[in-house]
Amino acid sequence: MSPGCRGALKTRTKGKWVSHHDVQSCSQHGPSRVSIQGLFSRRVTIVAGHFGSGKTEITLNAAVRLAREGQAVSLVDLDVVKPYFRSRSARELLRLSGVELVAPMGEYYSSDLPIILPQIRQRLLDRTRRVFMDAGGDDTGARVVGSLTDVIPPAESEFLLVLNFRRPFTLDVDSAVTMAREIEATGRMRLTGLLSNTHLMGETTGEVVREGFRLAAETARRLGLPLLAVAVEEGRDLGLSAEEFPCPILPITRIVKPPFEADREQRTVGPLFVVG
Amino acid sequence: MAKKLMKGSEAIGEAAIQAGCKLFFGYPITPQNEIPEYMSHRLPQIGGTFVQAESEVAASNMIYGAAGSGERVFTSSSSPGISLMQEGISYIAGSELPVVLVNIMRAGPGLGGILPSQADYFQATKGGGHGDYRLLVLAPWSVQEAADLIQDAFDLADFYRNPVMILGDGLIGQMMEPVEFHPDRKPCKELKPKEWAATGCKGDRPTNIINSLFLDPAALERHNHKLQAKYEAMARDEIRCAEYGTEEPYDVLIVAYGTVARVCVTALEDLKEAGIRAAMVRPITLFPFPYAQVRAASEKAKAVLVVELSCGQMVEDVRLAVEGTRPVHFYGRQGGMLVTPEEVVDEIRRLLTVPQLEADHA
């Protein structure tokens, strides 16, 4: 898909199709599984959202996929809000995938101190690298982005907000709009797009995704921003078809997990249990 | 009510509010900062009061004072902060006041680190402060169970007029899972009006005094006997534990609590595939400890393995339960390192090759 292309966004409400012609989003070529290159087309991608929105997972998925295609990718873990379950938790997976992780290392790896590494500025200025920034929780996390705006090149950057309408502080459109405005204010940057990622982890149903999409579309309309994609966990049969959504489906794999997941493969790449 | 995706800390905060708690006094500390954050956000919305105290010492004395009014009172902290609260907790227990405390444990001793731990078991169950008192201690293993137990904790605290602690490792505070609240939930105990509360009597009844000072030794001894009778009633009526795989024959019994028990449940599946027969008891109340349940389950096993994120604390209660009738082994990680299912499987394989056990096994 080409970002910014204009198309009619249709959402299903109470069995009827409703169009929001003023929403700028989605593909002219019909709904599809979106390619990472198409979705994250700019050199610098900053991903924001409340903790639990899924921004870490989306950032990790995107960085890993682009690196596996041979691009020079840096992932900046800007999370100074959460002490656990940050993108640095997947450092082994990132290393194996060829993604450069920019995060405090050594004894500060596990800290929750507001450490902004000098390398972050260097990577933002390096035109040969794709840079992903995982901006931690809500407006507090976005403050770190605000401190870097002098080196974030606007023309080459996108600032995305991930929305999960099953999180307690964004259960409705009003609170999502408020959060978006707060993130823009403290991040000192305009958001460029939204990603719908409403989920309940292992208890996600198709209806949860559909309802979240509907609310994200309404949020996008209110904010005048494109809704770029609907993220859906890969390999789960939620009874969703690509045709239901006027914007593309972004398949993601859950990476940062607690140590008791039954899936052996996922256990070994998880977060805290690879510490040390 | 639709399910929400909540961090353990948020679910704990919301559960306290659903339980009718309108007063929170506390001081932030990782990994449970989201509890005070959540309460500071939500309490003003419902006409409650959130106070960030100047320290945990102050917070524990604020909950002491507020609980004396008969209101539902709540605080939360993590290991070093709970240590600072011990003076107030002993006074609260001595004054027979209901409060709910949450300890989201991080690795110690001292400032330690911010990653998960279970090394405050002794402090929680044996009394971290001075004097002969006990907390009723509940240990959730999931975000949903944390929310459910918080609501029960308020009822139990009121019923026994005793502090109740929710003891969770750092993961309980930080991990996210779907949670559902039931607004029509009924109290888990039959609760009487709080006629002891210091609410201002305006001369129409004898004055209620909240106090833990008894200068007359005979009176203080009687007071201690009264407290002990409550702890005996808890041991009789409040024990909670869950069993996994104990209906089938097994050679090894695992005892674990909190999220470590979830790691062990995954290990049980791996062990079953490997043809090793194992089962698990998960204490949910740590005080009162399910001695009889652990003893009964151990009698069907050849050996017991206790798994903890500590250097071995609950293992002492398991040894008291088993009374030397079975070998009790221990496996633990410390410092914020987590136990993996593979480690539990390896440990059980290793202890099954101990000669004596192998002979029994054959």
Side-chain angles (χ1 to χ4, degrees):
Chain A
M1 74 153 235
S2 56
C5 71
R6 192 171 285 272
L9 177 68
K10 289 179 173 178
T11 53
R12 200 180 176 91
T13 314
K14 291 178 185 165
K16 287 184 177 177
W17 286 101
V18 183
S19 294
H20 305 297
H21 290 280
D22 51 340
V23 175
Q24 192 186 38
S25 92
C26 303
S27 173
Q28 295 163 316
H29 316 295
S32 63
R33 286 159 70 96
V34 71
S35 74
I36 287 285
Q37 299 93 321
L39 185 59
F40 303 106
S41 57
R42 301 205 185 158
R43 188 175 71 77
V44 176
T45 305
I46 304 160
V47 188
H50 201 277
F51 52 75
S53 61
K55 66 193 169 319
T56 295
E57 296 294 346
I58 286 173
T59 311
L60 285 170
N61 272 265
V64 164
R65 276 184 232 178
L66 288 178
R68 284 179 179 163
E69 286 165 12
Q71 296 200 34
V73 180
S74 296
L75 192 156
V76 180
D77 182 349
L78 277 185
D79 198 332
V80 297
V81 174
K82 295 196 304 286
Y84 309 166
F85 301 111
R86 297 177 288 198
S87 51
R88 72 190 70 167
S89 302
R91 65 179 173 179
E92 190 58 17
L93 174 73
L94 294 173
R95 189 183 65 78
L96 292 172
S97 310
V99 176
E100 182 206 34
L101 173 63
V102 182
M105 283 297 147
E107 64 177 322
Y108 295 110
Y109 168 84
S110 303
S111 77
D112 55 348
L113 300 171
I115 298 168
I116 312 300
L117 295 171
Q119 293 93 314
I120 297 170
R121 292 176 165 269
Q122 193 273 328
R123 297 300 183 279
L124 284 167
L125 294 168
D126 181 351
R127 298 213 151 180
T128 68
R129 298 197 74 83
R130 289 284 282 108
V131 179
F132 285 89
M133 298 213 292
D134 178 4
D138 56 48
D139 56 314
T140 313
R143 186 159 289 128
V144 186
V145 177
S147 75
L148 296 166
T149 43
D150 59 314
V151 284
I152 295 172
E156 297 172 40
S157 303
E158 55 198 340
F159 190 22
L160 308 178
L161 178 65
V162 181
L163 290 168
N164 179 356
F165 284 97
R166 288 300 183 116
R167 292 282 299 134
F169 291 129
T170 50
L171 291 171
D172 55 40
V173 172
D174 282 346
S175 52
V177 167
T178 303
M179 187 182 68
R181 294 294 181 223
E182 286 171 357
I183 283 175
E184 287 184 326
T186 54
R188 295 164 66 196
M189 269 182 82
R190 286 273 175 221
L191 290 164
T192 58
L194 306 184
L195 294 171
S196 178
N197 189 37
T198 294
H199 69 96
L200 279 172
M201 288 188 171
E203 296 183 31
T204 308
T205 62
E207 204 41 54
V208 168
V209 175
R210 285 186 197 104
E211 174 68 6
F213 166 78
R214 192 183 67 73
L215 294 167
E218 175 61 15
T219 306
R221 190 189 64 76
R222 292 259 303 270
L223 291 167
L225 289 170
L227 177 58
L228 299 173
V230 183
V232 178
E233 192 175 349
E234 202 156 29
R236 290 174 60 83
D237 183 12
L238 300 176
L240 297 168
S241 69
E243 289 68 34
E244 294 183 55
F245 302 103
C247 61
I249 289 179
L250 171 68
I252 60 166
T253 307
R254 200 174 145 209
I255 293 169
V256 182
K257 297 175 136 191
F260 35 76
E261 292 295 336
D263 186 331
R264 275 193 197 85
E265 197 183 325
Q266 286 170 333
R267 251 189 246 159
T268 53
V269 296
L272 293 158
F273 47 101
V274 294
V275 168
Chain B
M1 222 183 232
K3 280 197 176 180
K4 296 176 202 171
L5 183 64
M6 295 183 95
K7 245 189 188 195
S9 289
E10 296 168 334
I12 284 168
E14 182 59 31
I17 287 168
Q18 303 262 338
C21 170
K22 289 189 171 179
L23 300 173
F24 182 96
F25 307 90
Y27 189 84
I29 179 170
T30 306
Q32 63 80 56
N33 288 318
E34 297 85 352
I35 301 177
E37 184 184 18
Y38 192 88
M39 298 308 272
S40 68
H41 177 80
R42 285 279 283 128
L43 282 174
Q45 296 174 350
I46 59 159
T49 300
F50 170 90
V51 177
Q52 180 169 323
E54 60 267 47
S55 71
E56 288 89 345
V57 180
S60 74
N61 284 290
M62 289 176 184
I63 57 169
Y64 177 29
S69 73
E71 291 290 324
R72 287 197 153 179
V73 184
F74 173 46
T75 192
S76 67
S77 191
S78 178
S79 309
I82 295 289
S83 292
L84 281 165
M85 290 184 179
Q86 291 306 324
E87 180 197 37
I89 293 171
S90 174
Y91 279 57
I92 289 164
S95 303
E96 296 192 84
L97 292 178
V99 302
V100 174
L101 312 148
V102 174
N103 181 3
I104 299 298
M105 293 177 279
R106 56 187 256 180
L111 268 179
I114 63 171
L115 293 176
S117 169
Q118 294 181 320
D120 302 348
Y121 180 91
F122 284 154
Q123 184 195 54
T125 62
K126 311 297 177 190
H130 59 282
D132 275 317
Y133 77 91
R134 298 287 188 159
L135 306 176
L136 202 160
V137 183
L138 299 162
W141 78 336
S142 69
V143 173
Q144 181 70 58
E145 192 175 58
D148 295 342
L149 289 181
I150 282 279
Q151 303 194 53
D152 289 354
F154 278 98
D155 297 336
L156 291 165
D158 281 346
F159 184 82
Y160 288 104
R161 289 182 56 189
N162 199 71
V164 176
M165 176 175 276
I166 301 288
L167 191 67
D169 55 79
L171 278 175
I172 287 290
Q174 289 299 319
M175 67 187 185
M176 283 192 212
E177 289 181 325
V179 190
E180 194 167 19
F181 293 96
H182 304 282
D184 53 350
R185 175 191 167 275
K186 300 275 181 289
C188 72
K189 303 294 282 188
E190 199 174 314
L191 301 175
K192 293 183 194 141
K194 295 178 177 176
E195 285 165 359
W196 48 265
T199 53
C201 64
K202 300 188 178 74
D204 58 5
R205 60 161 165 76
T207 309
N208 285 340
I209 295 172
I210 307 296
N211 181 33
S212 67
L213 179 68
F214 293 81
L215 291 175
D216 172 5
L220 184 52
E221 188 177 54
R222 280 197 301 278
H223 180 57
N224 268 281
H225 290 164
K226 183 185 174 200
L227 296 181
Q228 291 302 314
K230 284 203 299 198
Y231 308 142
E232 282 162 23
M234 289 176 195
R236 188 187 62 230
D237 298 336
E238 305 304 340
I239 286 181
R240 300 186 192 193
C241 66
E243 299 190 4
Y244 306 84
T246 48
E247 64 287 349
E248 302 283 328
Y250 50 92
D251 298 310
V252 179
L253 178 72
I254 300 171
V255 185
Y257 72 98
T259 65
V260 178
R262 288 175 79 167
V263 174
C264 292
V265 161
T266 305
L268 285 182
E269 290 165 20
D270 296 357
L271 287 162
K272 196 170 185 179
E273 280 174 32
I276 297 170
R277 304 188 305 175
M280 181 172 81
V281 173
R282 173 172 75 94
I284 298 169
T285 49
L286 301 181
F287 181 88
F289 189 80
Y291 290 110
Q293 290 79 357
V294 168
R295 172 63 178 260
S298 74
E299 283 168 358
K300 289 157 68 181
K302 298 192 169 66
V304 179
L305 175 68
V306 180
V307 187
E308 298 177 64
L309 298 180
S310 76
C311 294
Q313 299 195 10
M314 182 176 71
V315 65
E316 294 193 2
D317 278 326
V318 174
R319 289 201 172 109
L320 285 173
V322 171
E323 290 183 304
T325 57
R326 296 289 183 283
V328 176
H329 302 269
F330 174 73
Y331 183 75
R333 297 297 300 264
Q334 301 85 30
M337 302 297 289
L338 297 185
V339 173
T340 65
E342 290 79 5
E343 288 170 6
V344 176
V345 171
D346 289 348
E347 192 60 21
I348 286 175
R349 282 184 188 281
R350 198 188 62 75
L351 70 91
L352 281 174
T353 60
V354 173
Q356 180 56 45
L357 197 64
E358 203 170 43
D360 292 348
H361 195 58

